[in-house]
């Protein structure tokens, strides 16, 4: 199972159109088709059915969608929790962790001047 493929599956289920889903995901349409075909081969069932230019979830796809939503929600919570733990544990001397590497560099190296707004955007 590939978490990215599950994200692709969920987006295609939502938009019901390969072209629109691929654009929303910022991937190629053949890449999206490959991901969905890989999932269908892995599970051994069709996940979508064609309806003209659009697609809709098959009965198997509807069942899988319930689990995929739970998996993606749990994955998002895990990423947020991991990011929060990283911010809590990282410290630079006595200063708390600063998100910007450039700001952290300035604090650690004794330069108390903060970088300009423009340089923090490009960091």
């Amino acid at each position: 199972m590939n978490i990215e493929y599950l994200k692709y599956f969920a987006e295609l289920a939502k938009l019901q159109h390969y072209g629109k889903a691929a654009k929303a995901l910022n991937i190629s349409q053949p890449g999206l088709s490959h991901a969905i075909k890989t999932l269908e081969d892995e599970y051994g069932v069709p996940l979508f059915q064609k309806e003209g230019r659009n697609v809709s979830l098959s009965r198997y796809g509807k069942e899988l969608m319930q689990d995929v939503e739970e998996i993606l929600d749990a994955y998002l919570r895990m990423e947020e929790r991991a990011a929060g733990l990283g911010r809590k544990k990282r410290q630079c001397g006595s200063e708390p962790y600063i998100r910007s590497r450039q700001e952290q560099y300035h604090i650690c190296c004794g330069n108390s001047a903060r970088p300009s707004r423009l340089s923090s955007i490009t960091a």
Side-chain angles (χ1 to χ4, degrees):
M1 179 184 333
N2 180 327
I3 196 77
E4 290 301 313
Y5 286 6
L6 295 180
K7 290 177 185 178
Y8 298 169
F9 168 80
E11 190 67 18
L12 181 57
K14 182 175 93 175
L15 297 178
Q16 299 183 352
H17 191 278
Y18 273 91
K20 291 176 184 176
K23 186 174 182 176
L25 293 163
N26 200 28
I27 62 171
S28 69
Q29 189 171 338
L32 176 59
S33 297
H34 172 75
I36 299 303
K37 176 79 168 106
T38 299
L39 287 174
E40 289 178 331
D41 290 347
E42 187 175 326
Y43 297 122
V45 294
L47 301 174
F48 291 93
Q49 53 196 21
K50 292 184 179 186
E51 295 180 355
R53 292 184 153 204
N54 294 341
V55 293
S56 63
L57 287 171
S58 69
R59 68 181 191 150
Y60 305 109
K62 288 176 184 174
E63 286 182 40
L64 180 63
M65 189 64 201
Q66 294 171 3
D67 293 331
V68 167
E69 287 174 340
E70 290 177 25
I71 290 167
L72 293 177
D73 286 344
Y75 183 77
L76 180 61
R77 284 192 310 275
M78 180 191 69
E79 282 187 327
E80 290 170 350
R81 188 174 299 131
L85 290 174
R87 282 192 295 274
K88 288 179 186 175
K89 288 189 175 189
R90 292 185 213 161
Q91 291 193 0
C92 180
S94 62
E95 294 289 328
Y97 174 74
I98 306 296
R99 286 186 193 164
S100 163
R101 284 183 180 211
Q102 192 172 19
E103 285 180 357
Q104 187 177 21
Y105 172 80
H106 286 286
I107 291 169
C108 289
C109 296
N111 183 352
S112 61
R114 289 206 152 171
S116 72
R117 186 177 197 90
L118 179 59
S119 63
S120 66
I121 292 171
T122 59

